[in-house]
Amino acid sequence: RNVVRIRGDNKLIDFDASVNIGERLTEKFSSGYLPPEVAAVRFQLEESLDDLMRRKEELKQKFKDERGDDDEDKILKELTELNEKIEQVKSVGSNSDKEEPVGDAQVDIWAYGVLMFELLTGRPLFNCDKNDNLLNDKEKRRLVNWKSITGEDLSDVLKDCPDQGLTESAKDLLRKCL
């Protein structure tokens, strides 16, 4: 959470965003370092799936009624955006009775694992912008639905290292953190 890349170096920053164990997490975060259970709460939408589906049906009817109208492209764009929101709600959920996340060791271990993955592979675990925030909804869904690190991701760990024992230890560490 508190690590950024500055001119190729990793730096600890944003200590104002850190919390004690058991305290509610702040609104300030870098989404590329959020653990899946925290991301599931942070990326929730205000609208329920039923509301979104109702809006989708209304837009589809509007599209049928105004076929050939100048608003056709606008309606299609709205439908596309709405479909993306529906997919997000299906994978993440909408605001419900999920509790606000609190600081605990799991949050730190996950962030450490994300940082270690980058150090051991030379690439980020998720596609992020320069502020370490996930680039798009696809990456958010990937994080929220995270089960474990994949063999494909692990194949990049120290791939040029001649010490196979070290490589396996690094992979084991990542499996435990992520």
Side-chain angles (χ1 to χ4, degrees), residues 6 19 23 27 33 47 61-62 70 77 87 112 120 130 157 161 166 175:
I6 300 173
V19 298
E23 288 181 359
E27 292 301 316
Y33 289 91
E47 298 173 277
Q61 187 59 48
K62 186 176 180 182
D70 291 337
K77 184 180 179 199
E87 286 306 309
Y112 175 75
L120 293 168
K130 66 180 181 169
V157 173
C161 180
L166 179 62
R175 280 186 202 98

Side-chain angles (χ1 to χ4, degrees), residues 120-121 153-175:
L120 293 168
T121 64
D153 284 330
L154 286 173
S155 68
D156 287 343
V157 173
L158 297 172
K159 63 182 172 187
D160 296 327
C161 180
D163 184 344
Q164 195 60 30
L166 179 62
T167 300
E168 287 308 312
S169 294
K171 289 178 181 181
D172 188 49
L173 174 66
L174 289 174
R175 280 186 202 98

